[in-house]
Amino acid sequence: MDREQLDQLVAQARGMAYSPTKVALLEEAVQGADALQDLDLAFAVRVHLVDAGVFSGMAERALVAFAWCLAQSDRDPERFPQARLLWEYKWIVNKLPDFPTIPRGKIRAMEEDYHARLKREGQGLRSLYKLLMDNANSMGYRRAGIEYEKTWRRARRDDMSDCAACDLDAEVAALNRAGRYREALWKAQIGRAHV
């Protein structure tokens, strides 16, 4: 596969809806970029693969691609700035509780690493608190989830904050978990009008 064919493959994949087919095309593109020994292209295609894997329900594919990208960033931060990977990092850490083979200690270490990277980039911690809330709730740590939720609600919005619709979804889910169903329904109806 030459560079022109590879560019066409990536463009085709990027134009597709999230699906296993999109993931497969991007995996083929990764192999092509690796064969061409084009590190910049291999990085860019893997970033697209992370996005496609997460949102196509194939997080295991995203994990592998993300680990490769993060290693490149740590090796050469000038060429591959970590700021470029913060959104993907958030998505990846949020998916970790879905994998029963990943121990809680490893998840916690990645949450802490994400925290450190946010601080190095001068970002606020709202996205971290939401991530901690989601992960705690996913793993059954309700008390911790409630505490992180309180901190998340108080934290200022910044460049790493989720969109208003995503935040509304998280608020409604928190109300449902608390058994406050009427309030959740009201919040969803009122919030939808403002999103």
Side-chain angles (χ1 to χ4, degrees), residues 46 52 96 99 136:
R46 279 181 171 89
L96 294 178
F99 295 90

Side-chain angles (χ1 to χ4, degrees), residues 13 16 19-26 58:
M16 297 176 75
S19 66
T21 303
K22 179 177 184 133
V23 171
L25 288 176
L26 288 168
M58 301 177 77

Side-chain angles (χ1 to χ4, degrees), residues 3-191:
R3 179 59 191 256
E4 184 179 340
Q5 292 169 317
L6 188 53
D7 288 343
Q8 289 173 355
L9 185 63
V10 171
Q12 178 186 355
R14 289 188 69 189
M16 297 176 75
Y18 292 117
S19 66
T21 303
K22 179 177 184 133
V23 171
L25 288 176
L26 288 168
E27 287 179 327
E28 185 180 341
V30 163
Q31 291 173 356
D34 288 348
L36 291 175
Q37 298 181 349
D38 186 329
L39 197 58
D40 294 297
L41 181 60
F43 183 88
V45 174
R46 279 181 171 89
V47 170
H48 292 307
L49 178 56
V50 171
D51 173 70
V54 166
F55 294 105
S56 297
M58 301 177 77
E60 69 284 356
R61 310 292 176 82
L63 288 172
V64 173
F66 179 76
W68 186 94
C69 289
L70 193 62
Q72 295 301 322
S73 177
D74 287 345
R75 237 181 255 117
D76 190 350
E78 293 290 320
R79 188 173 183 184
F80 305 111
Q82 77 174 357
R84 171 62 190 90
L85 296 173
L86 288 179
W87 273 94
E88 289 80 5
Y89 206 158
K90 178 170 67 167
W91 299 336
I92 290 296
V93 177
N94 185 252
K95 292 294 181 187
L96 294 178
D98 295 347
F99 295 90
T101 57
I102 299 177
R104 172 70 180 126
K106 177 65 174 172
I107 295 171
R108 189 70 195 129
M110 289 188 72
E111 290 168 345
E112 290 170 1
D113 186 59
Y114 175 68
H115 179 190
R117 291 172 191 270
L118 282 174
K119 287 178 72 172
R120 279 198 302 265
E121 294 299 323
Q123 294 291 339
L125 299 180
R126 183 178 173 91
S127 67
L128 173 69
Y129 296 132
K130 184 175 181 193
L131 174 63
L132 294 172
M133 173 188 74
D134 288 344
N135 283 358
N137 288 326
S138 292
M139 293 183 286
Y141 298 107
R142 289 274 297 122
R143 273 195 208 124
I146 290 167
E147 291 307 310
Y148 289 129
E149 179 191 348
K150 290 176 187 174
T151 308
W152 166 64
R153 288 178 183 271
R154 289 191 305 264
R156 69 172 175 83
R157 292 188 62 76
D158 60 26
D159 293 340
M160 290 301 300
S161 297
D162 286 339
C163 69
C166 293
D167 280 352
L168 174 63
D169 182 60
E171 289 180 43
V172 171
L175 291 168
N176 276 324
R177 276 191 303 276
R180 297 161 55 189
Y181 305 116
R182 285 181 186 262
E183 192 177 345
L185 181 59
W186 176 82
K187 182 76 173 175
Q189 290 171 338
I190 296 300

